[in-house]
């Protein structure tokens, strides 16, 4: 992504002293550029270090090693309220005794801006989050989704260089989460500032982001555009965490013509679409890349017995038992096979992703 970085994280580590006196590393030698004017998401399971990294950038924690730059300025020793960032927390942190307008105006008033500028900027911020007529409402009188918008307005009204979002939709129901994903991306595009969001929800990350940073065990597994993260995962962890996939471990052999194939531990053979040296390998194959075999199909295939078929409306999720007790997941449109039936599926070798551990 050829965009200048607004935040540079340089070889940052963070460790904590546990209650039993042991040092625990939350982050290990992280280097990361957050591009200006883009939506970046830190994605990973609980405990992977993503919220710790967000807190370090926001100034709520200090690194044990390494440095964080915002713009060209090293943030060492700079407190949260002096950084060109603002944070929307998971539980919003709104003042329940204040009105919507008073909540949004709070930071501006603390900064000493005159009343007219405060009034104008509050009106602009509430219009951007589509709450233009709610200034006089109490926080207790509005819905969860509206509270999230107020929290966003309170953050953007300060005009930060970077807006930090810590699991911003965790408290919303599924339908509202989907709506807010669209709204957050719209807001980021309109503002043109960098958003850095923390989530464990793969759908959120893929739908909103320009850049996804997948984290695991205090380290970065892969960083790339959403499509590349999903379609070309580089590690076993990324392939398994971002969406559903089929993983095959085995040994690569190369025939006299130079064609490589993988024989899995269960004895299933997969043609590889790229040159690959002999030896152990793991490959990933997404469920939707498998298709029913047709009479004129020339693609390689995998065959098994249907174990389970789950109707999902527009798709059917099918689990197959392959040779050697291996399992295969696929999604089929317009088909509902029965358990116990044989089923053959074909795949394009180019859709196999070769993974590193």
């Amino acid at each position: 992504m050829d965009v200048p970085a607004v935040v540079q994280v340089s070889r940052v580590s963070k460790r904590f002293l546990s209650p039993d006196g042991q040092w625990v590393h939350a982050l290990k030698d992280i280097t990361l550029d957050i591009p200006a004017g883009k939506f970046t998401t830190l994605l990973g399971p609980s405990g992977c270090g993503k919220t710790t990294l967000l807190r370090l950038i926001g100034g709520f924690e200090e690194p044990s090693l390494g440095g964080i730059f915002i713009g060209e300025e090293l943030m060492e020793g700079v407190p949260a309220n002096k950084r060109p960032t603002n944070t929307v927390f998971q539980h919003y942190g709104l003042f329940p005794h204040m009105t919507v307008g008073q909540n949004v105006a709070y930071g501006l008033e603390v900064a000493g801006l005159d009343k007219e500028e405060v009034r104008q900027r509050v009106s602009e911020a509430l219009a951007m989050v589509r709450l233009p007529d709610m200034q006089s409402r109490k926080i207790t009188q509005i819905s969860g989704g509206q509270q999230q918008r107020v929290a966003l307005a309170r953050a953007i009204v300060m005009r930060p260089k970077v807006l930090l979002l810590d699991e911003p939709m965790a408290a919303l129901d599924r339908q509202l989460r989907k709506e807010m994903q669209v709204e957050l991306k719209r807001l980021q595009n309109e503002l043109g500032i960098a958003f850095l969001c923390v989530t464990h929800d793969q759908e959120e990350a893929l739908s909103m982001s320009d850049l996804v940073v997948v984290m695991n065990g205090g380290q970065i597994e892969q960083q790339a555009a959403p499509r590349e993260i999903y379609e070309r995962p580089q590690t076993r962890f990324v392939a398994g965490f971002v969406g559903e996939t089929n993983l095959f471990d085995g040994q690569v052999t190369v025939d006299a013509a130079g064609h490589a194939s993988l024989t899995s531990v269960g004895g299933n053979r997969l043609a590889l679409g790229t040159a690959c040296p002999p030896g152990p390998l793991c490959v990933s194959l997404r469920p939707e890349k498998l298709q029913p075999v047709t009479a004129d199909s020339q693609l390689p295939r995998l065959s098994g017995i249907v174990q389970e078929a789950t109707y999902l409306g527009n798709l059917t999720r099918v689990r197959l038992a392959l040779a050697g007790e291996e399992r295969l997941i696929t999604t089929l449109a317009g088909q509902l096979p029965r358990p116990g039936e044989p089923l053959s599926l074909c795949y394009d070798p180019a859709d196999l992703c070769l993974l590193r551990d």
Side-chain angles (χ1 to χ4, degrees):
M1 187 175 293
D2 190 20
V3 176
V6 66
V7 178
Q8 293 177 293
V9 180
S10 179
R11 304 205 65 179
V12 163
S13 296
K14 180 65 178 177
R15 64 178 189 170
F16 299 96
L17 193 62
S18 68
D20 61 359
Q22 301 295 313
W23 285 106
V24 177
H25 285 82
L27 294 172
K28 305 170 188 175
D29 199 25
I30 295 287
T31 294
L32 174 66
D33 287 351
I34 307 299
K38 299 295 181 180
F39 199 122
T40 300
T41 297
L42 304 177
L43 174 66
S46 298
C48 72
K50 58 188 185 294
T51 295
T52 299
L53 180 54
L54 190 86
R55 290 178 62 81
L56 292 177
I57 294 170
F60 304 103
E61 305 275 357
E62 285 290 329
S64 303
L65 292 171
I68 293 172
F69 297 80
I70 300 180
E72 300 297 322
E73 184 180 355
L74 178 63
M75 291 290 106
E76 184 176 0
V78 180
N81 64 339
K82 299 295 184 182
R83 298 193 180 195
T85 61
N86 220 323
T87 306
V88 177
F89 295 102
Q90 183 173 334
H91 299 293
Y92 310 147
L94 300 172
F95 301 118
H97 62 286
M98 292 183 179
T99 65
V100 167
Q102 289 168 339
N103 266 277
V104 178
Y106 181 78
L108 299 174
E109 292 171 346
V110 169
L113 275 67
D114 66 70
K115 290 185 178 180
E116 179 57 28
E117 184 170 359
V118 170
R119 184 198 65 77
Q120 182 178 345
R121 285 172 63 169
V122 168
S123 295
E124 290 173 354
L126 286 173
M128 290 199 78
V129 298
R130 300 183 178 176
L131 296 176
D133 303 318
M134 289 201 173
Q135 288 202 37
S136 60
R137 294 275 192 95
K138 286 288 183 70
I139 294 300
T140 53
Q141 296 175 326
I142 62 177
S143 69
Q146 290 169 333
Q147 288 181 26
Q148 189 203 48
R149 291 169 188 260
V150 175
L152 286 166
R154 188 176 64 177
I156 65 176
V157 79
M158 302 302 293
R159 298 176 181 172
K161 285 185 178 179
V162 188
L163 182 62
L164 307 175
L165 302 133
D166 185 11
E167 299 275 7
M169 289 176 280
L172 305 180
D173 62 49
R174 180 174 175 81
Q175 184 58 39
L176 192 51
R177 286 170 76 105
K178 286 181 174 291
E179 293 173 10
M180 287 307 301
Q181 289 168 19
V182 176
E183 286 296 296
L184 269 180
K185 185 56 183 172
R186 174 194 64 81
L187 186 61
Q188 189 272 323
N189 284 332
E190 287 187 16
L191 289 169
I193 65 173
F195 276 31
L196 179 61
C197 181
V198 160
T199 186
H200 62 273
D201 188 302
Q202 301 96 325
E203 183 179 317
E204 280 183 15
L206 296 176
S207 66
M208 296 188 299
S209 308
D210 300 300
L211 175 68
V212 178
V213 181
V214 183
M215 298 184 65
N216 181 38
Q219 297 179 305
I220 294 174
E221 291 267 340
Q222 186 177 350
Q223 52 181 305
R227 181 178 292 275
E228 184 176 348
I229 288 286
Y230 182 79
E231 296 190 357
R232 290 292 158 193
Q234 294 177 353
T235 71
R236 180 193 298 266
F237 176 81
V238 174
F241 185 78
V242 182
E244 192 171 40
T245 197
N246 298 289
L247 295 174
F248 293 93
D249 286 284
Q251 290 287 325
V252 175
T253 56
V254 182
D255 65 20
H259 301 132
S261 62
L262 176 83
T263 302
S264 71
V265 293
N268 296 287
R269 194 175 183 85
L270 292 93
L272 302 179
T274 185
C276 191
L281 183 69
C282 178
V283 299
S284 165
L285 181 60
R286 295 292 186 190
E288 67 274 14
K289 300 297 185 182
L290 289 150
Q291 299 296 326
V293 174
T294 59
D296 59 349
S297 176
Q298 301 297 312
L299 293 172
R301 64 188 66 183
L302 290 165
S303 299
I305 303 297
V306 175
Q307 280 192 315
E308 181 183 276
T310 305
Y311 177 70
L312 301 176
N314 60 328
L315 294 171
T316 300
R317 182 179 183 274
V318 180
R319 181 191 295 269
L320 259 67
L322 302 180
E325 299 185 354
E326 288 184 310
R327 300 290 180 267
L328 187 71
I329 300 295
T330 187
T331 50
L332 303 175
Q335 250 187 307
L336 189 60
R338 296 178 181 178
E341 288 182 350
L343 182 64
S344 291
L345 301 165
C346 60
Y347 63 94
D348 186 337
D351 290 327
L352 290 170
C353 292
L354 282 56
L355 307 176
R356 68 173 193 270
D357 287 331

